[in-house]
Amino acid sequence: MTLYQNLNPEQLAAVTLPHESALILAGAGSGKTRVLTTRIAHLIQTGQASSGSLFAVTFTNKAAKEMLTRLTAMLPINTRGMWVGTFHGLANRLLRAHFRDAGLPQTFQILDSADQLGALKRLLKTLNVDDEKYPPKQLQGFINGLKDQGLRADKIDAPDPWTRKMQQLYAAYDEQCQREGVVDFAELLLRSYELLLNNAPLREHYQSRFKHILVDEFQDTNHLQYQWLKLLAGAQAAIFAVGDDDQSIYAFRGARVGNMADFERDFQVAKVIRLEQNYRSHGNILDAANALIRNNQTRLGKNLWTSDHAGEAIRVFEAASDFEEASFIVDEVKALQREGVALSDIALLYRSNAQSRVLEHALFNAAIPYRVYGGLRFFDRQEIKHALAYLRLIGNPDDDGALLRVINFPARGIGARSLEQLQDIARQSGISLWQAAQRKLLSGKAGSSIAVFTGLIESLRSACADLPLPEQVEHMLAHSGLIAHYEKEKEGEDRLENLNELINAAAGFVLEAEPETEMLSLSPNSLPRGERDADSLREIHFTSELAAFLAHASLEAGEHQAIAGADALQLMTVHAAKGLEFHAVFICGLEEGLFPHENSNREKDGLEEERRLMYVAITRARRRLTISFADTRMLHGQLRYGIASRFLEELPPQLLKRINRAVPVFAVQPAFNPKPRETDSGWHIGQAVSHAKFGHGLIIDSEGRGADARVQVSFNDAGVKWLALEYAKLEPR
DNA sequence: TTCCAACTGTTTTTT
DNA sequence: ACAGTTGGAA
């Protein structure tokens, strides 16, 4: 049968396992996703499962999407209504369907990390807590760490006064969120876990429904996610878990590899299936990866092999500086291009984002197109955050975080003083800022600017009630003053474009079919349909569509950046590269302190995680792997001397080839390239000029065009200055 | 309210 | 080095 064609014996065994819980230890490049999707197809095709009894969970939206795409290619099934998604996405779905039972408002909103941090800062302020003694970031880590373990504030041991205070703040934060109708990422999971735990009819309903639970990247699950899965799996359910302990690189955010061993025990896994044949890399690359990872003590044990030949040696380059490292990589990339390798099939991997700058600079000067992954995401942009805050207020005016973001943006004369008054009222009466504003209006003491703001939100709210989603967004943008504000701002064009893109995103967003509407009647305290009049039904529809769109914005923040464009070199951190593969891979910055990172030895088993990270990096390469390190590097504005990473020494020397450049080191150009370059204004970089007041100098940079054009001039005596070409009388010399 | 200078904290990151 | 934030002055 075509479904099973080209599967190796282990893959076939995994795909056709009987109905029992199973653990598949799938090495890098061993066809993990293929096994997972073929297993689903197998279950459906043999009649063991209907699409409604399947529950498949991944970590990233990308992986979930990939699974659905492959599945529809294999089987003619309707994936709508199937429970396939990320942990957070599925938890969100559960909570939306049972918001009453979960104790949430229907329009509850999701806080991303930045929103959460903002909420915590606000909390500390209202409680008058010293944020130097209790840093918001630390509090955030404290709370999320505990939630990831399934622990509420009242369930923790606080042996010392400091921890007791943190515990108090945790409780206060949860109260604040509840009051405002918002949940953070960890709360999505914890809340849905508690929902199932405390609501027996609901739990039993889902337990009897989901007979087949499939989990991708199982090594990345945290304690709570595992508990969640255990709760969801009823007596007749089988969990099909796929993972690779050697690729566990998220311990720092709570991932617990120990879940794999617990799973074997808790679910009486009869035998673990190992997928060890690699279909991706040449032999030398695999041998290097295997040799490296053997240095880790805590492993389940696994050795990748390939029937492919050894291939090229792994290239190792020692650079005098980070600049030289970058220029070496540029040369190598050009050579690969000449060999006919597409730029999109070449990856430049680094340990930390800060390293990309030097590389980008060199690539830019060499005119090599490149794309950096993991930069600022679409939904993280300031203007988008502002727009979303208005939308959130339309859905739920009690959302203090959203209100604070836009109450004076664009500026409408509500300063710190009036805000403080509002916050006082809110604190004293335990109400939201929105309610405080209304109370103040009633008492007749509010400034007119506050009336303008509440009036604006009210009018947006009523205007949007009758509009389809994209027009709600459009209306909000036009009437909130956001568009007008960015039209005035001189560099606001990009922002306006992004705001327009938000309308497109809304137009492209289709409300997911609610397969669980019938479940609403299960909850005893849900409102019977008869009690809702037509108006409130319509209202509920518009708010829930909006709420779903906003949830989508929080949960899939990264998806919008993936615009497939022209052929470009791929730059990303090693973390971001997991799951991807390339013809050629460069791993740079292989220095002690950088990779492994110096902070890693502070954490327990930190070094082993760094080694797994290096293992992930190596196994991304299909054919050519180049590793480089630099003797000196600029770090935090200081020159640092480095030595080669211990990981280099853990690679078998016979697999390595030290290479030297054809170009002598002294020929390497420094960062500044003095070659003349035309600016938009007709002046060019490197041009000698003179100025009536500052004397002679050289143009070293330029920006803007037309009336805004400016050039940066390095004067012999007067130093470096930016000059507006419209005013400064520059003379060519 | 707005602007600029001083200060700070810089591992990885998805949701 | 550098970006983001905060505090004080205008």
Side-chain angles (χ1 to χ4, degrees):
Chain A
M1 212 187 264
T2 54
L3 205 55
Y4 312 106
Q5 246 170 28
N6 299 327
L7 289 177
N8 69 32
E10 292 77 27
Q11 291 174 330
L12 186 66
V15 165
T16 57
L17 274 173
H19 187 74
E20 62 186 28
S21 287
L23 179 60
I24 316 299
L25 215 52
S30 66
K32 174 185 62 119
T33 312
R34 179 141 182 253
V35 165
L36 210 46
T37 46
T38 315
R39 168 72 177 174
I40 296 176
H42 165 81
L43 288 173
I44 292 175
Q45 208 167 63
T46 56
Q48 295 180 63
S50 63
S51 66
S53 66
L54 283 163
F55 188 95
V57 61
T58 63
F59 273 85
T60 63
N61 293 302
K62 201 167 77 187
K65 216 171 268 173
E66 169 88 11
M67 199 186 286
L68 286 173
T69 314
R70 291 213 205 175
L71 210 50
T72 44
M74 273 190 251
L75 286 176
I77 47 163
N78 184 8
T79 54
R80 258 175 86 97
M82 267 178 82
W83 284 71
V84 176
T86 64
F87 275 100
H88 294 87
L90 294 173
N92 176 49
R93 192 158 160 184
L94 215 50
L95 292 177
R96 296 266 166 219
H98 308 288
F99 64 94
R100 274 175 225 280
D101 294 311
L104 288 169
Q106 181 171 32
T107 58
F108 76 85
Q109 283 310 310
I110 301 167
L111 302 183
D112 64 23
S113 315
D115 297 334
Q116 185 188 31
L117 191 62
L120 286 169
K121 284 181 181 164
R122 195 150 44 79
L123 177 77
L124 294 180
K125 217 177 214 168
T126 33
L127 295 181
N128 260 323
V129 175
D130 182 359
D131 60 1
E132 304 223 323
K133 206 166 164 201
Y134 304 94
K137 275 237 173 76
Q138 211 171 333
L139 181 58
Q140 185 178 29
F142 179 83
I143 293 174
N144 291 341
L146 289 164
K147 285 192 179 181
D148 282 347
Q149 295 179 67
L151 294 171
R152 290 282 178 199
D154 56 2
K155 293 278 159 48
I156 33 178
D157 291 326
D160 56 282
W162 188 85
T163 312
R164 264 197 293 285
K165 185 72 183 174
M166 292 292 270
Q167 179 184 24
Q168 257 177 37
L169 292 171
Y170 176 7
Y173 165 73
D174 267 359
E175 272 167 40
Q176 176 179 287
C177 287
Q178 187 63 30
R179 210 165 44 236
E180 296 175 7
V182 294
V183 298
D184 57 53
F185 286 136
E187 181 75 20
L188 279 174
L189 287 164
L190 184 50
R191 189 66 78 102
S192 56
Y193 171 74
E194 290 170 345
L195 172 70
L196 293 176
L197 189 68
N198 301 327
N199 190 326
L202 214 56
R203 181 174 67 244
E204 283 152 17
H205 168 84
Y206 283 108
Q207 284 180 341
S208 64
R209 171 175 177 165
F210 298 126
K211 304 264 179 14
H212 308 274
I213 297 172
L214 299 99
V215 193
D216 189 19
E217 306 273 16
F218 190 74
Q219 77 283 353
D220 286 337
T221 50
N222 63 34
H223 183 79
L224 176 58
Q225 285 160 338
Y226 181 50
Q227 294 302 117
W228 196 78
L229 288 170
K230 264 167 78 172
L231 196 58
L232 203 58
Q236 308 134 36
I239 296 185
F240 187 87
V242 180
D244 180 4
D245 56 319
D246 289 333
Q247 292 188 71
S248 157
I249 54 175
Y250 287 106
F252 72 92
R253 65 170 201 224
R256 217 181 137 263
V257 194
N259 284 346
M260 298 180 92
D262 290 357
F263 174 65
E264 272 190 78
R265 197 194 53 226
D266 295 347
F267 288 84
Q268 292 106 43
V269 173
K271 71 166 194 270
V272 177
I273 295 183
R274 287 183 159 73
L275 304 181
E276 300 180 298
Q277 182 172 3
N278 174 295
Y279 297 95
R280 179 185 294 158
S281 311
H282 271 168
N284 282 343
I285 293 171
L286 279 189
D287 290 348
N290 282 331
L292 179 90
I293 203 67
R294 260 198 296 274
N295 290 292
N296 272 5
Q297 303 302 309
T298 50
R299 303 179 61 210
L300 297 177
K302 177 168 53 37
N303 215 28
L304 289 179
W305 61 276
T306 177
S307 58
D308 226 327
H309 52 84
E312 295 178 17
I314 291 157
R315 302 145 75 83
V316 176
F317 180 73
E318 175 173 6
S321 68
D322 44 352
F323 295 107
E324 206 213 344
E325 182 184 43
S327 113
F328 161 75
I329 290 170
V330 164
D331 289 348
E332 290 286 302
V333 168
K334 282 183 179 162
L336 280 162
Q337 261 184 308
R338 283 194 295 273
E339 286 173 32
V341 181
L343 284 176
S344 58
D345 214 5
I346 308 173
L348 205 45
L349 308 183
Y350 34 82
R351 176 65 180 85
S352 64
N353 276 313
Q355 287 167 256
S356 79
R357 183 171 303 159
V358 181
L359 299 166
E360 283 186 68
H361 192 100
L363 290 166
F364 182 83
N365 282 342
I368 295 175
Y370 65 89
R371 224 174 108 211
V372 186
Y373 288 77
L376 192 60
R377 281 187 281 264
F378 179 73
F379 285 106
D380 286 341
R381 287 166 203 278
Q382 180 210 81
E383 61 276 18
I384 300 298
K385 283 270 183 191
H386 282 131
L388 293 178
Y390 276 107
L391 293 174
R392 276 162 63 170
L393 284 177
I394 292 172
N396 170 19
D398 292 331
D399 188 334
D400 284 0
L403 185 133
L404 282 171
R405 182 175 264 279
V406 293
I407 190 167
N408 199 34
F409 190 95
R412 49 176 73 84
I414 304 177
R417 212 178 34 248
S418 15
L419 212 51
E420 221 163 89
Q421 287 170 2
L422 277 187
Q423 281 168 320
D424 280 345
I425 298 176
R427 196 173 345 170
Q428 277 159 23
S429 314
I431 55 177
S432 70
L433 290 171
W434 174 258
Q435 288 162 7
Q438 308 229 295
R439 188 173 295 186
K440 210 167 166 212
L441 284 180
L442 279 179
S443 71
K445 281 191 300 194
S448 62
S449 47
I450 290 184
V452 169
F453 178 73
T454 55
L456 170 68
I457 297 297
E458 295 280 16
S459 78
L460 287 177
R461 195 175 158 79
S462 59
C464 285
D466 286 320
L467 293 175
L469 179 62
E471 276 142 63
Q472 289 180 37
V473 177
E474 203 170 354
H475 179 93
M476 176 278 299
L477 288 175
H479 293 86
S480 62
L482 281 179
I483 295 273
H485 175 266
Y486 287 118
E487 273 170 352
K488 266 188 292 178
E489 199 165 78
K490 65 174 183 206
E491 311 227 330
E493 288 142 37
D494 284 353
R495 299 193 192 274
L496 285 171
E497 227 167 81
N498 288 331
L499 289 175
N500 266 320
E501 189 54 38
L502 186 66
I503 303 177
N504 293 337
F509 176 75
V510 192
L511 185 59
E512 204 174 55
E514 283 286 343
E516 294 308 310
T517 24
E518 89 273 12
M519 286 301 300
L520 286 173
S521 56
L522 242 182
S523 39
N525 55 348
S526 69
L527 206 62
R529 295 231 156 209
E531 286 182 28
R532 303 179 191 157
D533 57 15
D535 256 5
S536 73
L537 263 183
R538 194 187 56 203
E539 170 115 337
I540 283 170
H541 181 259
F542 114 78
T543 47
S544 68
E545 188 185 18
L546 181 60
F549 176 64
L550 291 169
H552 165 84
S554 303
L555 290 173
E556 296 186 30
E559 295 306 284
H560 241 258
Q561 71 178 357
I563 325 128
D567 188 36
L569 184 67
Q570 312 283 300
L571 269 69
M572 65 192 87
T573 64
V574 180
H575 282 91
K578 189 159 118 175
L580 307 175
E581 61 174 66
F582 306 90
H583 175 94
V585 168
F586 293 86
I587 310 174
C588 49
L590 254 270
E591 293 133 49
E592 278 298 302
L594 195 58
F595 200 176
H597 199 276
E598 55 199 344
N599 292 1
S600 69
N601 52 29
R602 279 213 300 267
E603 282 146 42
K604 187 169 154 287
D605 303 327
L607 184 63
E608 298 220 334
E609 176 144 324
E610 294 286 311
R611 193 176 280 116
R612 289 192 292 269
L613 204 46
M614 183 64 188
Y615 175 80
V616 167
I618 293 173
T619 52
R620 297 311 96 195
R622 287 200 295 265
R623 296 293 174 256
R624 177 175 296 182
L625 178 63
T626 310
I627 301 175
S628 58
F629 64 100
D631 300 335
T632 63
R633 184 177 292 277
M634 289 301 280
L635 199 68
H636 308 323
Q638 273 179 329
L639 193 65
R640 290 236 312 215
Y641 294 84
I643 57 166
S645 164
R646 70 190 77 186
F647 295 154
L648 269 175
E649 274 143 43
E650 293 176 7
L651 303 179
Q654 68 274 17
L655 300 178
L656 309 180
K657 186 175 126 197
R658 291 226 165 213
I659 51 175
N660 297 302
R661 309 184 69 188
V663 192
V665 172
F666 54 79
V668 173
Q669 287 293 339
F672 169 54
N673 181 352
K675 231 187 302 169
R677 198 176 87 209
E678 284 292 317
T679 68
D680 293 328
S681 51
W683 299 87
H684 62 254
I685 290 179
Q687 186 174 11
V689 293
S690 70
H691 183 273
K693 193 159 141 204
F694 302 130
H696 293 325
L698 270 184
I699 296 183
I700 58 172
D701 201 357
S702 77
E703 66 168 37
R705 57 191 67 195
D708 291 328
R710 302 193 307 152
V711 292
Q712 193 180 30
V713 183
S714 172
F715 290 103
N716 298 345
D717 301 318
V720 177
K721 293 196 185 314
W722 277 103
L723 300 173
L725 286 170
E726 205 181 358
Y727 307 109
K729 290 192 188 61
L730 272 187
E731 301 277 349
R733 190 159 58 83

